[in-house]
Amino acid sequence: MTQTLCDTVELVIPCRPEYVGVARLAVLGIASRMPFSYDEVEDVRLAVGEACTHAVERAGDTSAQIKIVSTIDSVALVIEVIDDVPVGTEPVVQSEDAQLLEAAGVDQQGLGALLMEILVDEVKITSSETGTSVRLTKFAPE
Amino acid sequence: MNLTINSRTPNETTRILEIEGEIDVYTSPQLKQEIVKLAEGGVKHLIINLSKVEYLDSTGLGVLIGGLKRLREAEGNLVLVGPALRILRIFEITGLDKIFDIYATEEDAAAKEGVSL
């Protein structure tokens, strides 16, 4: 289905683990508006999941929110995952898991970033005092 | 949006965990708890059947890597069985397929790991 217009869908969820699945479900519907293959839709879903996870892990026990703004047109699907977790307020306590992973030479947050880079065409991360935005772009097939 | 873990005990030091559902930031703590409990309880060989897992993200990968490290330090192993192509691809693109032993079936895993089912 070719879109001639540019459609925007916005979703706001609490920045907590139990809501990341809700974002993934919504993205499944949104990505299905594009002429993507099954695998490409799944790639977008996982990339958005990783962007939300990154926000959730930094938010800790706060009342932060995640806003997911999806823009659909004939050229690309752009999904921006915006949180209001101020940079520098992240919990600094390193979990035992993080230490284990570090010892194994794996940085879990690095894994999330790596996945996003591989799964979509463009990733742009912007952080400010008010929060972080992860902008994911997946171009429509030629 | 949940995770079910079925545990089977073929012998004292071996466990098979059959996981069903989605492993993400919400559900991975449940899996981590189970793996840590088994490792601390003296389990050496953990066979994790992923054939019914529909979604796996970096937090799930993190838990599996943590478990692998724990068990290898105890001179055991954590191996993976039967991931769908989509899930296998996540291991391949992150290079983790070179770190984990991934088998098609539980029987293959048991034979290669030298444990009886």
Side-chain angles (χ1 to χ4, degrees), chain A residues 35-100:
Chain A
F36 290 145
S37 67
Y38 166 80
D39 266 349
E40 287 169 324
V41 169
E42 285 294 313
D43 286 352
V44 172
R45 186 166 78 117
L46 181 53
V48 172
E50 290 297 343
C52 292
T53 296
H54 178 64
V56 165
E57 287 183 332
R58 289 173 24 256
D61 215 1
T62 64
S63 57
Q65 289 188 313
I66 302 175
K67 183 158 84 164
I68 298 144
V69 183
S70 307
T71 311
I72 307 151
D73 66 25
S74 57
V75 179
L77 170 63
V78 178
I79 301 182
E80 199 167 3
V81 178
I82 306 154
D83 68 56
D84 56 1
V85 183
V87 173
T89 59
E90 299 92 344
V92 287
V93 183
Q94 224 202 8
S95 70
E96 174 203 14
D97 241 19
Q99 291 167 5
L100 267 176

Side-chain angles (χ1 to χ4, degrees), chain A:
Chain A
M1 189 188 86
T2 312
Q3 298 268 344
T4 48
L5 296 166
C6 168
D7 293 334
T8 301
V9 180
E10 287 195 16
L11 170 72
V12 179
I13 56 168
C15 192
R16 294 207 303 272
E18 60 270 39
Y19 285 96
V20 172
V22 175
R24 288 201 306 265
L25 273 176
V27 165
L28 201 55
I30 292 162
S32 301
R33 310 302 314 150
M34 297 288 292
F36 290 145
S37 67
Y38 166 80
D39 266 349
E40 287 169 324
V41 169
E42 285 294 313
D43 286 352
V44 172
R45 186 166 78 117
L46 181 53
V48 172
E50 290 297 343
C52 292
T53 296
H54 178 64
V56 165
E57 287 183 332
R58 289 173 24 256
D61 215 1
T62 64
S63 57
Q65 289 188 313
I66 302 175
K67 183 158 84 164
I68 298 144
V69 183
S70 307
T71 311
I72 307 151
D73 66 25
S74 57
V75 179
L77 170 63
V78 178
I79 301 182
E80 199 167 3
V81 178
I82 306 154
D83 68 56
D84 56 1
V85 183
V87 173
T89 59
E90 299 92 344
V92 287
V93 183
Q94 224 202 8
S95 70
E96 174 203 14
D97 241 19
Q99 291 167 5
L100 267 176
L101 294 181
E102 204 172 290
V106 179
D107 159 19
Q108 193 198 306
Q109 286 214 329
L111 265 181
L114 172 70
L115 279 171
M116 286 194 283
E117 291 285 347
I118 295 169
L119 297 166
V120 295
D121 297 319
E122 284 176 9
V123 180
K124 187 165 182 268
I125 302 176
T126 318
S127 288
S128 74
E129 280 172 15
T130 54
T132 296
S133 149
V134 180
R135 195 168 185 270
L136 306 165
T137 304
K138 185 120 181 140
F139 293 108
E142 290 296 315

